[in-house]
Amino acid sequence: MSELAEPTVDPADWTCPAPLRDQPVVVMGHGGGGALSAELIEQVFAPAYGNATLAALTDSAVLDLGGARLAFSTDSYVVRPLFFPGGGLGDLAVNGTVNDLAMSGARPAYLSAAFVLEEGVELAVVEKVARAMGAAAEAAGVVVATGDTKVVESGHGDGVYVTTSGVGLVPAGVDIRPQRARPGDVVIVSGPIGLHGVAVMSVREGLEFGVEIASDTAPLADLVAAMLAVTPDIHVLRDPTRGGLGASLNEIARASGTGVRLSERSIPVPDAVANACGFLGLDPLYVANEGRLVAFVPPSAAEEVLAAMRAHPQGSGAAVIGECVAEHPGMVVVATGLGGTRVVDLPLGEQLPRIC
Amino acid sequence: MSELAEPTVDPADWTCPAPLRDQPVVVMGHGGGGALSAELIEQVFAPAYGNATLAALTDSAVLDLGGARLAFSTDSYVVRPLFFPGGGLGDLAVNGTVNDLAMSGARPAYLSAAFVLEEGVELAVVEKVARAMGAAAEAAGVVVATGDTKVVESGHGDGVYVTTSGVGLVPAGVDIRPQRARPGDVVIVSGPIGLHGVAVMSVREGLEFGVEIASDTAPLADLVAAMLAVTPDIHVLRDPTRGGLGASLNEIARASGTGVRLSERSIPVPDAVANACGFLGLDPLYVANEGRLVAFVPPSAAEEVLAAMRAHPQGSGAAVIGECVAEHPGMVVVATGLGGTRVVDLPLGEQLPRIC
């Protein structure tokens, strides 16, 4: 072996995540929606595909197709366990992709559903997932229009993995993307945070926190339509899934070159989530949500948008949690209850792997 | 337990596939593109999603979106090994979805790419797959516009699984679907069959057949455009992947209520494929192709369509292999070289699991 050759690293020796450039192998954090995921996109996928659309890092791409503005999005769902309080894999696979489309302002229309099944999984389990998808699609007003099924040998999967893709049209006059955040924008979250992550974690680890915590999984396209009915000039929408609100706000701050300043007191964290996070050593700001959105709204429209959100079942717990500022561009800070501030950084990976 | 209760079946006791209704668990054949796959769609997915679009069983759905005719398709790719003579997972993931769109006559425009990575897989492997996807997308004239990455623990995946979805527009006047086959249609295949399946099998099993057999993986949208330039009235197109030509022709015969009569002599089976199939006990009619199509063309246009195909690099080996008949509706028969006929039935599963 040449002395200049790269040292060989045994994947078994890797015990903690580190920046991608120093790692020869995939670690769990590469799927966590944080800094490692971003590096994978920027250093591997975007150069390989050779286009700028992907590099925009939005929840869904908005594309020209025959003069129409098509929103197109995809997500694989590998949540474990398959069923949890408040929902299951099937609900996530529909709502997650519906929401990614809605975050561009699109009206979701059609979904595809591709299953990778592990040999030996009970057909009743597959059917339960599929029926949940059908029910969630009906609730969200979309049609599962096409699909695929592959089977892998036992020991090469984990029961059921589902990949959904979705398409929809973006209405005229709507231009919602992270780059449009600007100083003065009011930052609104649509409801209490942290429920999905804690719900999955509790059932996975057999933990109880006195009260059953249910996932918030829900379709948000109708809520977005209600917001757009107030004004088409909503600047940014994001559903804070993997990596939670902290990751989403960091991505927006970096994409737009603005700062975000939150007020800790105003962030709606349910007591049960706060208690569970305290017990588990987690920060609610980084816990995944599956039925919440964060919006950046011009100040002139903020009050009316907030009222429209609160009038909608999916936004009844909406709250203003901060503002977009010109200071500390690319950085998110939170004003604590004690009068100090702390930085909310982009997480490296996900605190809770396989949360969606 | 009630005496009327269903008997409990231990998944470990299942050793061979049987009709879905008697099986409580997923077997490899459910992913094989044959009768078991069809039963899974008809008995589990179509009822769960509650719509007729999916039940149409076409390679891609053709949907109304804002007045345009959108083709939408998805496939998961779990081929093993990841690289083989003639291509690899990345080529399949692009060409397979491009071809599914093309089989509805659509011009493919955009793809999504969702990765499920196994913890510990080398990043160089991920990059090799992604670069192959980028190159294949460029060759096919499509853009990978959006994506996702999830990571599962070691032992719950197999290196890299990719799910691609694709969208494109169907030109005005084009209506290509299995139901449109009618007696008199000329059945044309675009080139020699069986190369992909034998190529993957040989590298997987370490077999050699004297000559290296390379997969035929290729994008077919441009070939389809050349055919449509002759006449928009092509009745059916299908890319015979999993289950091979035999499965595709059976699906067309059943969907259209017509019969298909092939001439064995005219089916282009390369010597190397015939030899390998003889050695392995496989029927070339059921071996997967990834760069071939079968077309049902009205007799008045058949000669000119065939000429256009032969003038195209992807159709240089095109041949008329049979015709669509009114007799034996739903059934495919082949006239053998010896003057007899035999039935080509829908296979139960796939002879070679994880071929794509």
Side-chain angles (χ1 to χ4, degrees):
Chain A
M1 184 190 284
S2 157
E3 290 188 1
L4 291 173
E6 290 291 313
T8 299
V9 180
D10 182 349
D13 291 339
W14 287 94
T15 53
C16 67
L20 176 63
R21 54 195 167 277
D22 297 330
Q23 280 181 23
V25 300
V26 169
V27 296
M28 295 303 293
H30 282 121
L36 283 168
S37 290
E39 285 195 23
L40 195 61
I41 294 171
E42 287 160 17
Q43 296 183 27
V44 177
F45 292 120
Y49 303 152
N51 70 76
T53 311
L54 192 90
L57 276 172
T58 47
D59 285 322
S60 61
V62 177
L63 307 162
D64 174 75
L65 191 67
R69 287 202 300 158
L70 182 83
F72 186 26
S73 184
T74 193
D75 265 319
S76 290
Y77 298 87
V78 299
V79 66
R80 189 170 52 89
L82 296 177
F83 310 103
F84 43 79
L89 171 64
D91 308 270
L92 289 192
V94 169
N95 292 336
T97 294
V98 161
N99 292 348
D100 280 346
L101 294 172
M103 294 310 112
S104 67
R107 277 289 197 176
Y110 300 104
L111 298 186
S112 64
F115 282 68
V116 174
L117 302 176
E118 186 185 14
E119 185 187 17
V121 67
E122 288 177 65
L123 282 163
V125 170
V126 180
E127 186 174 38
K128 189 174 174 184
V129 171
R131 287 194 179 278
M133 290 181 67
E138 190 177 357
V142 297
V143 171
V144 182
T146 188
D148 181 50
T149 305
K150 294 295 191 312
V151 180
V152 294
E153 300 86 350
S154 179
H156 288 302
D158 197 3
V160 184
Y161 297 149
V162 178
T163 301
T164 49
S165 300
V167 292
L169 290 178
V170 181
V174 171
D175 179 21
I176 299 174
R177 48 194 167 88
Q179 292 81 0
R180 289 199 68 219
R182 57 202 54 183
D185 281 358
V186 177
V187 180
I188 305 175
V189 70
S190 65
I193 65 167
L195 291 164
H196 175 72
V198 170
V200 173
M201 190 66 175
S202 61
V203 65
R204 189 191 294 172
E205 307 297 340
L207 303 173
E208 293 189 18
F209 304 105
V211 51
E212 184 181 272
I213 299 174
S215 168
D216 58 343
T217 178
L220 297 173
D222 198 58
L223 172 64
V224 170
M227 297 165 69
L228 287 172
V230 174
T231 172
D233 191 32
I234 290 171
H235 290 164
V236 188
L237 292 173
R238 198 91 175 184
D239 57 334
T241 57
R242 285 180 291 177
L245 196 57
S248 290
L249 291 174
N250 266 281
E251 286 164 10
I252 295 166
R254 291 174 188 206
S256 60
T258 64
V260 175
R261 185 177 174 85
L262 304 176
S263 158
E264 191 165 50
R265 268 182 230 257
S266 60
I267 301 170
V269 180
D271 286 346
V273 169
N275 292 340
C277 285
F279 179 77
L280 295 165
L282 303 177
D283 184 337
L285 280 176
Y286 296 129
V287 175
N289 313 275
E290 291 289 341
R292 299 291 176 253
L293 64 80
V294 61
F296 282 54
V297 181
S300 58
E303 198 172 328
E304 209 180 338
V305 168
L306 182 66
M309 292 175 75
R310 287 186 172 156
H312 191 281
Q314 298 304 339
S316 58
V320 172
I321 59 169
E323 61 177 335
C324 188
V325 296
E327 297 80 42
H328 52 78
M331 191 181 288
V332 181
V333 302
V334 57
T336 66
L338 300 172
T341 58
R342 65 180 171 93
V343 172
V344 178
D345 205 356
L346 183 65
L348 198 60
E350 162 62 58
Q351 299 178 118
L352 312 168
R354 295 188 57 187
I355 204 75
C356 61
Chain B
M1 184 193 283
S2 156
E3 290 189 2
L4 292 174
E6 292 289 316
T8 300
V9 180
D10 182 348
D13 291 337
W14 287 95
T15 53
C16 68
L20 175 62
R21 54 196 165 276
D22 298 329
Q23 279 182 21
V25 301
V26 169
V27 296
M28 295 304 293
H30 282 120
L36 284 167
S37 290
E39 286 196 25
L40 195 62
I41 294 171
E42 287 160 14
Q43 295 183 27
V44 176
F45 292 120
Y49 303 152
N51 70 74
T53 310
L54 192 88
L57 277 170
T58 46
D59 284 324
S60 61
V62 177
L63 307 162
D64 174 77
L65 191 67
R69 288 201 300 159
L70 182 83
F72 186 26
S73 183
T74 193
D75 263 320
S76 290
Y77 298 86
V78 298
V79 66
R80 188 171 53 88
L82 296 177
F83 310 103
F84 44 79
L89 171 64
D91 309 271
L92 288 192
V94 169
N95 292 337
T97 295
V98 161
N99 292 349
D100 281 346
L101 293 171
M103 295 308 114
S104 66
R107 276 288 194 178
Y110 300 105
L111 297 187
S112 65
F115 281 69
V116 174
L117 302 176
E118 185 184 15
E119 185 186 15
V121 67
E122 289 177 66
L123 282 164
V125 170
V126 179
E127 186 173 37
K128 187 173 174 185
V129 171
R131 287 196 179 275
M133 291 180 67
E138 190 177 356
V142 295
V143 171
V144 182
T146 187
D148 182 50
T149 306
K150 294 293 192 311
V151 180
V152 295
E153 301 87 349
S154 179
H156 288 302
D158 197 4
V160 184
Y161 297 150
V162 177
T163 301
T164 49
S165 300
V167 293
L169 289 178
V170 181
V174 170
D175 180 20
I176 299 174
R177 49 195 166 87
Q179 293 81 1
R180 288 198 68 218
R182 58 202 53 184
D185 280 358
V186 177
V187 180
I188 306 174
V189 70
S190 65
I193 65 167
L195 291 164
H196 175 71
V198 170
V200 173
M201 188 68 176
S202 61
V203 64
R204 190 192 293 172
E205 307 299 338
L207 301 174
E208 293 189 18
F209 303 106
V211 51
E212 185 181 90
I213 300 174
S215 169
D216 58 344
T217 180
L220 298 173
D222 198 58
L223 172 64
V224 171
M227 297 164 70
L228 287 171
V230 174
T231 171
D233 191 32
I234 289 170
H235 291 164
V236 189
L237 291 173
R238 197 91 175 182
D239 57 334
T241 56
R242 285 180 292 177
L245 197 58
S248 291
L249 292 174
N250 266 279
E251 286 163 10
I252 295 165
R254 291 174 188 206
S256 60
T258 64
V260 174
R261 185 175 173 86
L262 304 176
S263 158
E264 191 165 50
R265 269 182 229 256
S266 59
I267 300 170
V269 180
D271 287 344
V273 170
N275 292 342
C277 285
F279 180 76
L280 296 165
L282 304 177
D283 184 337
L285 281 175
Y286 296 129
V287 175
N289 312 277
E290 291 288 341
R292 298 291 175 253
L293 62 80
V294 59
F296 282 53
V297 181
S300 59
E303 198 172 328
E304 209 179 339
V305 169
L306 182 65
M309 292 174 74
R310 287 186 172 159
H312 192 281
Q314 298 304 339
S316 58
V320 172
I321 59 169
E323 61 177 335
C324 188
V325 296
E327 296 80 43
H328 53 78
M331 190 180 288
V332 180
V333 301
V334 57
T336 66
L338 301 173
T341 60
R342 66 181 172 93
V343 172
V344 179
D345 206 357
L346 183 65
L348 199 61
E350 163 61 57
Q351 299 179 119
L352 312 168
R354 297 188 56 188
I355 205 75
C356 63

